[in-house]
Amino acid sequence: MNWSPWIRQFHRWVSILFTAIVIAIFAMLGAGQQPAEWVYYLPLPPLFLLMVSGLYMFFRPYFRKRGGATIT
């Protein structure tokens, strides 16, 4: 099973979620509301997921099995 398209799609959706959370926090601050302190921690779980999936996609080409000539 090829996981690459699934991880890529997951990364896209989590990035949308992360962006929406950050925009909501800035909108609350711009409206003059002071959110609770725990609201500032909401972007951290999606950010961690973005880091893991992004690192996977970055290093995948380096660890993929290459076909072709082998050294004898």
Side-chain angles (χ1 to χ4, degrees):
M1 181 176 185
N2 191 3
W3 286 94
S4 188
W6 292 99
I7 290 180
R8 211 171 276 280
Q9 190 69 23
F10 174 78
H11 187 83
R12 287 183 187 134
W13 281 106
V14 173
S15 68
I16 291 170
L17 174 67
F18 174 76
T19 304
I21 291 172
V22 172
I23 289 172
I25 291 173
F26 276 105
M28 289 175 70
L29 290 173
Q33 296 177 349
Q34 185 63 31
E37 289 186 24
W38 61 268
V39 173
Y40 296 111
Y41 294 110
L42 284 177
L44 293 180
L47 185 62
F48 175 75
L49 294 172
L50 285 171
M51 181 188 69
V52 171
S53 61
L55 286 173
Y56 169 80
M57 289 189 297
F58 180 80
F59 285 111
R60 187 174 186 278
Y62 297 107
F63 294 119
R64 158 175 75 188
K65 293 185 180 187
R66 292 181 169 83
T70 58
I71 300 174
T72 56

